[in-house]
Amino acid sequence: MNEATQTLPDNIAELQKLVLDLQVKVNWYEEQFRLSQHKRFGVSSEKGAVHPDLFNEAETFADDHAESDAAVQETITYTRKKPGRKALPADLPRKIDRHELPESEQICDCGHALHVVGEASSEQLEIIPAQVYVIEHVQVKYACRGCEEGFKTAPKPAQPIPKSFATPGLLAYIIISKFLDSLPLYRQEAIFKRYNIELSRATMSNWVLTIAELLKPYYDRLKHHLITQTFIQADETTLTVVQDGRENGTKSYMWLYQSGEHRPLYPVVLYDYQSTRAGYHAKTFLSGFKGYLQTDGFPGYHLMESDALVVLLGCMAHARRKFDDALKALPKESRKKSGKVQLALSLIAKLYAVESEIKDLTVEQRYLVRQQKSKPVLNQLKAWCDQSVTQVTKDSRLGMAIHYVINQWKYLTRYLQDGALQIDNNTVEQRIKPFVIGRKNWLVNQTPRGANASALLYSLVQTAKANNLEPFAYLKYLLTELPKLGRHYQAEQLDQFLPWNLVEKIQPLDKVA
């Protein structure tokens, strides 16, 4: 036997290993391609935690004995929405237009007079465009006839921007248009031109920056009340600030912190601009906070655990999203037979079914139901992940999802410790979405000052919504009342203007007529 023949088995083994490695790489690239295609052309909504194939859960897992042992057949019911147009709100003001036949037509073909036998009613929705008018302040002057030296002038109401023609209502309108309706200032400039008003974007930009400075103490007071709470949720997203002293295109970050409790007594939503994603930004912002902090698993938040005053929570929605990505990365013909992915999604769906069941219960009741129903499902999910982690490649989408759950397990299960805690971070993601939508419209911020102003004003708008206050009325009230305090006042004086103290003074968001 020659030397070439002796080395043949080793060469075959090496080639087989190479083929296996290449096949793993090909599978990975195919997953990335299918997932990319789905993100670009597929449905992006994550509404509903149950995949359609899970309605036949037992049949789906019949081909995989390991998964079928864990699967439990369920009956899932739902109420189908009835088609048709919704009725117009009953509290909207109504103008009645009565339509009657002229007297000449109130004659029947037989020659007799017609008489009223009933009425038919239908409704249409009308709208009146914004009304713009000028407020002229006439200050009456008084003089003394006796000494001929005494002289007084009636003062004007305190204004948010002294010597400016901008009223609290106009300023609130501009802020709401940009930071709630995502209308850039250049579009607002064009809208004002239709009313024959020359109002440049530069002027409006200066107004926005000035108002942000006026409201900074109020923002700080909201932050004070947020830090004193026991459960906060956090998230962050990117933005570009052009003139921040770094290279153009360098990413900055908008951080978001909000009250996380189930039905919080004092809802607060705060944005915070920072130039990087370093974890010390969160540690600095939340200095003095003691309690639970729920995040998406970003390692930067782990700095918060260093002083043992903060307990981190994970986000089950992120775990589910990774399994959902693993399902989308499979070929279409394989998705219905993908027992492993389907089982994970099924177990997570059961956890969310429990959350739906307890959403209207008290904190104590939520805790007890979770211990009874959620904890066994979590134990089942953990056992399945521990069993499956050796059966999939780490770099595959399913492998990444399983490793995420195992690595984040202690954070994902901590919501069981208190009924006030949430299973996921979805609400804070919903709060950060308005900024993401606005970012698509104006793309960048020019300066850090502008980014900080945006953070503050987004905070006030979203805090108003969190407290069920109509944002325009809320901002107009603040810009009318805060200037009356003058330049020097105690921070505690701002408490009377905090949103939960204005419920009786400002129209609720769900009652807007």
Side-chain angles (χ1 to χ4, degrees):
M1 182 179 295
N2 57 32
E3 184 177 350
T5 305
Q6 291 177 344
T7 60
L8 185 59
D10 292 337
N11 292 338
I12 293 175
E14 290 179 2
L15 290 173
Q16 288 176 336
K17 184 178 182 303
L18 178 61
V19 169
L20 183 60
D21 291 343
L22 290 175
Q23 185 60 51
V24 170
K25 289 184 178 180
V26 169
N27 292 341
W28 184 86
Y29 281 114
E30 287 180 343
E31 282 188 341
Q32 300 305 309
F33 173 75
R34 286 190 289 266
L35 187 58
S36 176
Q37 290 292 95
H38 182 87
K39 288 182 177 179
R40 185 174 182 184
F41 303 110
V43 177
S44 60
S45 174
E46 295 182 15
K47 186 176 180 180
V50 183
H51 190 272
D53 293 334
L54 299 180
F55 285 96
N56 294 315
E57 186 176 320
E59 290 78 5
T60 302
F61 307 135
D63 296 335
D64 194 320
H65 296 293
E67 285 79 12
S68 62
D69 290 340
V72 179
Q73 189 169 2
E74 296 180 4
T75 301
I76 300 176
T77 60
Y78 62 95
T79 302
R80 186 181 299 276
K81 293 183 179 179
K82 295 182 179 180
R85 184 173 60 191
K86 293 183 179 179
L88 296 175
D91 54 354
L92 284 178
R94 278 165 166 73
K95 173 187 175 184
I96 298 177
D97 287 342
R98 188 176 181 86
H99 309 287
E100 298 181 350
L101 289 174
E103 292 186 4
S104 60
E105 296 183 17
Q106 296 182 19
I107 304 297
C108 182
D109 293 340
C110 67
H112 291 83
L114 297 176
H115 65 278
V116 176
V117 294
E119 296 179 349
S121 177
S122 61
E123 294 185 337
Q124 289 182 306
L125 187 63
E126 181 62 287
I127 188 169
I128 301 174
Q131 296 180 352
V132 181
Y133 61 93
V134 176
I135 297 177
E136 183 177 355
H137 293 278
V138 178
Q139 297 176 262
V140 179
K141 299 180 179 181
Y142 300 85
C144 176
R145 296 182 183 275
C147 65
E148 297 184 353
E149 293 183 2
F151 185 84
K152 290 183 180 180
T153 301
K156 291 193 304 183
Q159 298 298 314
I161 304 180
K163 300 181 180 180
S164 168
F165 64 82
T167 64
L170 176 60
L171 294 169
Y173 176 84
I174 292 171
I175 292 170
I176 292 300
S177 296
K178 179 172 182 179
F179 298 103
L180 181 61
D181 300 329
S182 301
L183 276 177
L185 295 181
Y186 76 89
R187 293 187 188 173
Q188 295 192 51
E189 180 181 13
I191 292 173
F192 280 114
K193 281 185 178 180
R194 296 206 299 264
Y195 295 100
N196 295 322
I197 299 173
E198 295 293 333
L199 189 54
S200 70
R201 71 192 78 174
T203 298
M204 288 187 282
S205 179
N206 287 329
W207 286 350
V208 168
L209 294 173
T210 303
I211 290 303
E213 293 172 356
L214 170 69
L215 295 174
K216 182 62 167 60
Y218 185 84
Y219 174 93
D220 292 338
R221 197 60 186 165
L222 287 172
K223 180 181 176 181
H224 166 78
H225 283 273
L226 177 67
I227 300 302
T228 59
Q229 300 184 22
T230 58
F231 179 30
I232 293 177
Q233 295 175 309
D235 198 8
E236 68 287 330
T237 189
T238 60
L239 77 155
T240 300
V241 179
V242 178
Q243 301 173 23
D244 66 349
R246 300 181 297 169
E247 294 183 5
N248 289 343
T250 303
K251 287 183 179 180
S252 298
Y253 285 84
M254 189 68 79
W255 298 68
L256 177 62
Y257 309 90
Q258 73 166 19
S259 309
E261 284 189 11
H262 175 63
R263 298 176 181 172
L265 187 60
Y266 304 121
V268 178
V269 182
L270 296 182
Y271 290 76
D272 179 48
Y273 160 71
Q274 296 294 342
S275 59
T276 70
R277 202 187 184 192
Y280 68 82
H281 293 309
K283 188 175 179 64
T284 302
F285 188 90
L286 297 177
S287 177
F289 168 66
K290 301 177 183 179
Y292 292 98
L293 176 64
Q294 188 166 38
T295 71
D296 57 5
F298 171 53
Y301 291 107
H302 288 232
L303 285 175
M304 300 292 297
E305 292 185 301
S306 59
D307 53 8
L309 298 176
V310 176
V311 180
L312 291 183
L313 270 72
C315 175
M316 190 62 71
H318 279 76
R320 182 194 178 275
R321 195 171 300 154
K322 293 184 181 298
F323 285 108
D324 191 57
D325 286 345
L327 184 66
K328 294 171 182 175
L330 293 173
K332 288 185 179 180
E333 60 274 10
S334 302
R335 293 177 187 175
K336 292 184 179 181
K337 300 179 181 179
S338 57
K340 288 184 179 296
V341 182
Q342 297 282 17
L343 178 58
L345 289 171
S346 173
L347 293 174
I348 296 174
K350 292 177 184 177
L351 296 174
Y352 276 92
V354 175
E355 296 304 304
S356 178
E357 176 185 337
I358 66 175
K359 64 181 181 180
D360 295 325
L361 301 183
T362 64
V363 169
E364 294 76 13
Q365 291 171 330
R366 285 162 59 88
Y367 171 79
L368 294 175
V369 175
R370 282 173 173 171
Q371 297 300 315
Q372 179 185 3
K373 296 185 177 182
S374 298
K375 192 172 182 179
V377 178
L378 285 166
N379 292 337
Q380 190 177 354
L381 178 61
K382 180 62 164 60
W384 176 83
C385 287
D386 290 339
Q387 176 187 355
S388 303
V389 68
T390 59
Q391 302 172 1
V392 295
T393 57
K394 185 176 180 179
D395 292 334
S396 68
R397 282 288 167 175
L398 180 56
M400 292 168 62
I402 293 175
H403 278 86
Y404 178 87
V405 171
I406 293 175
N407 294 335
Q408 291 284 314
W409 188 252
K410 68 176 181 179
Y411 305 113
L412 292 173
T413 55
R414 278 178 176 165
Y415 78 98
L416 295 178
Q417 297 178 8
D418 193 323
L421 304 178
Q422 306 289 358
I423 189 175
D424 58 36
N425 221 24
N426 277 353
T427 54
V428 74
E429 289 189 353
Q430 293 168 3
R431 297 290 184 194
I432 211 167
K433 189 174 293 184
F435 173 80
V436 175
I437 294 173
R439 184 182 62 196
K440 292 180 179 179
N441 286 344
W442 51 77
L443 300 179
V444 299
N445 284 83
Q446 290 296 321
T447 64
R449 184 187 177 198
N452 281 313
S454 296
L456 187 147
L457 295 171
Y458 269 115
S459 299
L460 267 58
V461 169
Q462 292 302 317
T463 296
K465 293 180 64 178
N467 285 270
N468 194 36
L469 297 179
E470 200 286 309
F472 172 80
Y474 170 66
L475 277 177
K476 183 179 179 181
Y477 182 84
L478 290 183
L479 296 178
T480 301
E481 298 298 324
L482 289 181
K484 297 178 182 179
L485 295 178
R487 293 185 177 182
H488 306 289
Y489 55 85
Q490 299 296 322
E492 291 76 9
Q493 290 180 258
L494 295 172
D495 287 354
Q496 60 183 308
F497 304 114
L498 294 175
W500 45 87
N501 294 329
L502 300 178
V503 174
E504 297 181 358
K505 297 181 179 179
I506 298 178
Q507 194 172 22
L509 186 59
D510 57 8
K511 298 290 185 182
V512 176

